[in-house]
Amino acid sequence: VGICAGAYFGSSYCEFDKGGPLEVCDPRELALHSGRAVGSAFGYDYESSKFAKAVDAVLKDDLVKKADLSTGRVASYVNGGCFFPDAKEDEVLAYFCQDCGGHAAGQPMVVGGSAGSGRYILTGAHLEYDPEHLDPCREHDEIAPTLKATDTDRRNLMKFLVASVLRGSDSPSRL
């Protein structure tokens, strides 16, 4: 399971802040996902949370059913995360919502697949973040209500994704 920086690391190529002061554009050895991890989806600052956003993950219908979620959109914490523009359709589990702004709009947010005899899940969003435990700051105070609105589904989604990796399967669509 690779979350945010782990998703960059788990892809075959990291393309972070290309042309900017924080640029990191290099191949990654782990290469669980054969495509690029591109970001930051909405900007990033190492010294603050000024680019933190609550962004809806738009989940594929079969994932909503299998994870027993009440909705196909789950608010997710994003701060510096990536998207996966080269992902094949059968690898994609969720997309950034179309109305989130920035160059991540409509792009794959969560991908999964097989690697050797195991499985992987990579997510550009922090699906593991509990909105009750965000560091106190203005940006987090502003987005916390949005994150709390779908928190039960976020928890259930994260449990399902981790269990799916541990359980194993030969195709992301069979999660």
Side-chain angles (χ1 to χ4, degrees):
V1 176
I3 299 171
C4 196
Y8 286 105
F9 188 74
S11 294
S12 66
Y13 193 84
C14 171
E15 191 172 300
F16 182 82
D17 197 35
K18 187 174 183 177
L22 304 175
E23 181 176 316
V24 177
C25 294
D26 292 309
R28 292 291 174 246
E29 188 176 312
L30 193 54
L32 298 171
H33 167 63
S34 64
R36 295 173 296 152
V38 177
S40 164
F42 306 104
Y44 187 69
D45 178 52
Y46 283 102
E47 304 299 322
S48 75
S49 296
K50 70 181 180 182
F51 292 108
K53 290 185 73 153
V55 179
D56 281 353
V58 179
L59 310 171
K60 287 194 163 179
D61 290 339
D62 60 334
L63 180 58
V64 174
K65 291 175 191 165
K66 290 175 183 176
D68 197 27
L69 306 177
S70 66
T71 179
R73 291 174 75 112
V74 175
S76 307
Y77 180 89
V78 179
N79 189 14
C82 60
F83 58 93
F84 307 94
D86 307 322
K88 297 176 186 84
E89 184 61 29
D90 68 342
E91 294 175 302
V92 178
L93 303 172
Y95 294 89
F96 282 93
C97 61
Q98 287 288 350
D99 58 351
C100 67
H103 52 276
Q107 292 286 337
M109 175 193 279
V110 183
V111 295
S114 299
S117 60
R119 300 209 21 84
Y120 70 88
I121 299 286
L122 303 177
T123 173
H126 282 280
L127 298 174
E128 84 287 9
Y129 271 28
D130 183 334
E132 294 292 335
H133 297 116
L134 292 173
D135 292 335
C137 68
R138 182 185 51 81
E139 293 84 3
H140 291 164
D141 292 345
E142 290 174 2
I143 64 175
T146 302
L147 294 170
K148 289 176 184 176
T150 61
D151 194 48
T152 299
D153 277 339
R154 179 203 56 81
R155 288 174 184 267
N156 291 338
L157 174 62
M158 193 64 197
K159 288 177 193 174
F160 178 79
L161 292 174
V162 171
S164 297
V165 169
L166 295 174
R167 185 174 57 243
S169 175
D170 60 357
S171 165
S173 62
R174 294 193 186 138
L175 288 177

